[in-house]
Amino acid sequence: MLGFYFSIILVIGILIMFIFKYSSKCNQLVDQLKKSEDNYRELEGKFEAVISSLENRVNEEVANNRQKDHTLIQHSKLAAMGEMITSIGHLWQQPLNSLSLLIQDVKEAVQFGEINDQYIDQFTQESMNQIKHMSRTIKDFRKFYQPNNEKTSFSVSDSIEEALMIFSPSLKEHHIHVNFEFRGQHLAFGFPNEYSQVVLNILMNARDAFIMNEVVNRRVDIMIRSLDSSIIVDFIDNAGGIEEVLLPKLFEPYFTTKHHGTGIGLYMTRMIIENMNGLVKVENTEEGAKLSLIVPKAEAEIDV
């Protein structure tokens, strides 16, 4: 009987020891879990700090890239503005000459006693016509440089005509014939003034290529065509083309084949067209280069 009680006491003792050890292990596990939880929270805090730091760096890089793009845009516009000033000088030359002749004629009319109401009316009308022509020129140039903050539907043909009007003095000076037939409005969706600037960049590059390659019979063909939901404008010149090895680099910033070029004209062209959800392509032809601007039709963008 004594042995039986001893066995029970021994079993109970073993159970107590087991429970004590189990409890101790549980406490150790709880402590480990607490430490793991603390470590997890610490890691989580560090992870969030890293994420926050990365987000800040990404935002800074985006802001820097936007600033760089803004600077490139300004440089591009300043480069084009030089062309604008030259064009204004050419376009104003004829009306200024006319005004000069009118003023000189007034002096002679006074000497010969020809001043009367009819003479004054004619002098005023002819002078105002010339001044209005000069004022209209400035208005057209100012419109060209007004930035478009929002996308809108616009006529691709009108934007091309505006660029041709502005650049026509330089085209005539360098004996460049442009073949462009105005056929319909061809409404696209994007930024009309920026599109005109793209056309101006392309014409400037073609002019420089003609001069650099000393081409005699200089021609640029501009053709508009529609394809599904896009409007495609092809600019085809006979300026001798572009070296095949250079084609992939044409739209990179600061890449240029000109002696005094900035290398931002075609880069800006790509940026503007891509910002309109469009695409720019360039390839060589038998006589020169073909550059294509592909932009979405107005109804295609609106439907989306």
Side-chain angles (χ1 to χ4, degrees):
M1 193 68 178
L2 183 61
F4 174 74
Y5 287 118
F6 179 78
S7 298
I8 292 175
I9 293 171
L10 182 61
V11 170
I12 292 172
I14 292 172
L15 287 173
I16 291 173
M17 289 178 63
F18 178 78
I19 292 171
F20 179 78
K21 290 179 67 176
Y22 178 76
S23 176
S24 177
K25 287 186 177 181
C26 285
N27 290 333
Q28 290 177 1
L29 289 174
V30 169
D31 292 338
Q32 290 178 0
L33 286 173
K34 287 182 179 180
K35 289 181 180 178
S36 298
E37 186 177 358
D38 292 339
N39 291 334
Y40 172 77
R41 288 177 179 174
E42 183 180 355
L43 289 173
E44 185 180 24
K46 291 181 179 179
F47 180 75
E48 289 178 353
V50 170
I51 293 296
S52 178
S53 176
L54 288 174
E55 287 179 350
N56 291 334
R57 290 178 63 183
V58 169
N59 291 333
E60 288 176 3
E61 288 299 321
V62 169
N64 289 336
N65 288 334
R66 285 177 179 172
Q67 182 61 35
K68 289 178 183 177
D69 291 342
H70 177 72
T71 302
L72 287 173
I73 291 171
Q74 292 304 111
H75 286 172
S76 179
K77 287 191 173 183
L78 287 173
M81 193 172 292
E83 298 291 340
M84 302 293 107
I85 294 172
T86 302
S87 296
I88 289 175
H90 284 289
L91 293 172
W92 274 17
Q93 187 173 0
Q94 187 273 329
L96 285 173
N97 288 337
S98 298
L99 285 172
S100 177
L101 292 174
L102 287 169
I103 293 170
Q104 291 175 15
D105 188 67
V106 170
K107 184 177 180 179
E108 295 178 359
V110 170
Q111 291 176 350
F112 292 99
E114 297 176 352
I115 299 294
N116 53 35
D117 291 342
Q118 182 180 357
Y119 181 91
I120 294 298
D121 289 341
Q122 183 178 357
F123 172 82
T124 302
Q125 183 178 358
E126 291 182 3
S127 298
M128 289 305 299
N129 286 339
Q130 299 302 328
I131 292 172
K132 286 179 180 178
H133 174 73
M134 296 171 69
S135 177
R136 186 168 58 252
T137 301
I138 290 297
K139 183 179 179 181
D140 291 339
F141 278 77
R142 185 185 297 119
K143 176 186 175 184
F144 183 83
Y145 272 100
Q146 285 178 345
N148 302 119
N149 295 323
E150 294 183 1
K151 290 183 179 180
T152 182
S153 59
F154 70 96
S155 168
V156 169
S157 300
D158 287 345
S159 291
I160 294 173
E161 286 285 356
E162 289 179 5
L164 287 173
M165 181 275 298
I166 290 171
F167 202 56
S168 60
S170 183
L171 293 171
K172 291 178 182 178
E173 180 184 357
H174 296 284
H175 310 290
I176 301 172
H177 175 71
V178 176
N179 179 31
F180 172 59
E181 294 185 11
F182 192 106
R183 296 181 178 178
Q185 293 295 306
H186 296 285
L187 294 181
F189 191 76
F191 307 103
N193 290 354
E194 279 77 357
Y195 191 93
S196 293
Q197 185 181 349
V198 163
V199 176
L200 183 63
N201 287 340
I202 295 171
L203 294 174
M204 289 169 59
N205 279 326
R207 179 203 59 190
D208 295 341
F210 283 127
I211 295 172
M212 186 168 60
N213 296 331
E214 299 181 351
V215 178
V216 179
N217 298 317
R218 303 170 178 181
R219 187 186 74 253
V220 177
D221 296 323
I222 304 176
M223 295 182 290
I224 304 179
R225 52 195 171 99
S226 295
L227 180 64
D228 299 329
S229 60
S230 300
I231 295 174
I232 305 173
V233 181
D234 297 319
F235 297 83
I236 307 171
D237 64 50
N238 63 334
I242 305 164
E243 293 183 39
E244 292 291 335
V245 69
L246 301 179
L247 285 176
K249 302 179 180 179
L250 278 184
F251 299 102
E252 295 179 2
Y254 304 112
F255 175 81
T256 180
T257 58
K258 306 173 188 176
H259 298 299
H260 303 288
T262 61
I264 59 177
L266 288 178
Y267 173 69
M268 285 305 309
T269 293
R270 188 192 70 181
M271 278 185 56
I272 290 171
I273 296 301
E274 288 182 353
N275 199 29
M276 293 169 55
N277 297 327
L279 184 65
V280 184
K281 292 183 178 180
V282 63
E283 60 183 296
N284 282 319
T285 63
E286 292 183 359
E287 296 182 295
K290 172 184 174 183
L291 192 145
S292 302
L293 302 178
I294 306 169
V295 294
K297 292 180 179 178
E299 61 267 22
E301 286 289 326
I302 293 172
D303 290 341
V304 174

